[in-house]
Amino acid sequence: DAGVIQSPRHEVTEMGQEVTLRCKPISGHDYLFWYRQTMMRGLELLIYFNNNVPIDDSGMPEDRFSAKMPNASFSTLKIQPSEPRDSAVYFCASSLFTLRHKEKLFFGSGTQLSVL
Amino acid sequence: QKEVEQNSGPLSVPEGAIASLNCTYSDRGSQSFFWYRQYSGKSPELIMSIYSNGDQEDGRFTAQLNKASQYVSLLIRDSQPSDSATYLCAVNRYGNKLVFGAGTILRVKS
């Protein structure tokens, strides 16, 4: 398996523009997570899905952020409009719920977002 | 109070020594605990899981859990330069929701 695939790897945009980050989870995994990592705040959970359904979006910072999972193999995180404080590395992760390994997250390579 | 707290470091140890990394958590209802390793510019990867009080060993790594003190630790024996990374403590509060600490930077000097 290719692992969790994220695109793009790097995104540079100007303040006010729309940004869309994409994620393909590992085939067969039933949980998908979006995290954001900064030096100041560490790794923060933004939202997670179970079987394509959003379960907890309490970490989404504000209405400018939205996430969708239209099917089991694809998810997007959208920021509209973007602001400089959104600059961070955004990670997507997936996992398979089993009693033994339910919290073992497999992370993608991340998207480095810079908002100028 | 942060949900999961770690000393940011850096923690510097000589090659071959034992590195001791610590983590405290605030929610007494937390059920499962994890250590992830993150190399610079890379994504986190799971190295240890622990679910009950006591020690859990895997090769050179030992995770220790004390629920009464709300304390988790990671010991790395015979530290190697390749162990130099940021170590993230993660706690599952409920469901499948992992909360991460800010991480401790470990530097192993050869």
Side-chain angles (χ1 to χ4, degrees):
Chain A
D1 200 318
V4 176
I5 300 174
Q6 289 186 248
S7 64
R9 287 297 308 275
H10 302 276
E11 177 80 36
V12 180
T13 190
E14 293 187 348
M15 182 174 62
Q17 296 298 305
E18 177 179 296
V19 175
T20 300
L21 311 181
R22 297 173 175 79
C23 176
K24 176 179 169 57
I26 293 173
S27 176
H29 280 192
D30 53 357
Y31 280 85
L32 183 138
F33 304 79
W34 282 100
Y35 283 88
R36 175 173 70 175
Q37 188 172 39
T38 61
M39 290 291 292
M40 290 294 294
R41 302 175 67 90
L43 197 60
E44 302 173 278
L45 177 63
L46 300 177
I47 184 171
Y48 75 97
F49 297 82
N50 177 220
N51 292 325
N52 313 337
V53 176
I55 302 300
D56 187 335
D57 65 355
S58 60
M60 296 286 261
E62 49 198 275
D63 292 344
R64 298 185 296 107
F65 286 69
S66 62
K68 294 182 179 180
M69 192 165 187
N71 57 62
S73 60
F74 184 66
S75 177
T76 60
L77 177 68
K78 186 175 293 187
I79 308 173
Q80 166 64 16
S82 58
E83 297 183 3
R85 60 192 168 123
D86 302 331
S87 298
V89 179
Y90 290 80
F91 286 105
C92 174
S94 69
S95 71
L96 175 64
F97 188 93
T98 66
L99 287 178
R100 182 179 175 88
H101 295 300
K102 58 178 165 42
E103 295 106 340
K104 182 173 183 179
L105 270 57
F106 293 81
F107 283 82
S109 298
T111 295
Q112 174 75 60
L113 173 65
S114 298
V115 183
L116 306 179
Chain B
Q1 182 185 12
K2 292 183 179 179
E3 295 179 61
V4 181
E5 297 213 46
Q6 297 180 252
N7 188 320
S8 62
L11 173 66
S12 292
V13 300
E15 184 176 356
I18 296 175
S20 177
L21 304 159
N22 305 313
C23 167
T24 59
Y25 59 94
S26 61
D27 188 345
R28 285 192 171 276
S30 299
Q31 296 297 315
S32 42
F33 309 85
F34 308 88
W35 286 97
Y36 280 74
R37 178 177 62 199
Q38 186 175 24
Y39 292 112
S40 180
K42 303 296 185 182
S43 54
E45 58 176 334
L46 179 67
I47 55 171
M48 289 294 294
S49 307
I50 187 165
Y51 301 94
S52 56
N53 281 331
D55 295 358
Q56 181 75 38
E57 187 174 318
D58 184 359
R60 297 186 296 111
F61 298 99
T62 299
Q64 299 174 317
L65 174 61
N66 183 325
K67 288 188 176 180
S69 300
Q70 296 174 242
Y71 180 91
V72 191
S73 65
L74 177 70
L75 300 178
I76 306 175
R77 290 180 298 281
D78 188 23
S79 296
Q80 301 296 310
S82 58
D83 295 326
S84 297
T86 297
Y87 288 81
L88 303 169
C89 175
V91 175
N92 188 350
R93 298 174 58 215
Y94 58 86
N96 208 22
K97 182 176 180 177
L98 273 188
V99 177
F100 285 81
T104 298
I105 297 171
L106 173 66
R107 293 179 181 157
V108 181
K109 299 175 292 184
S110 58

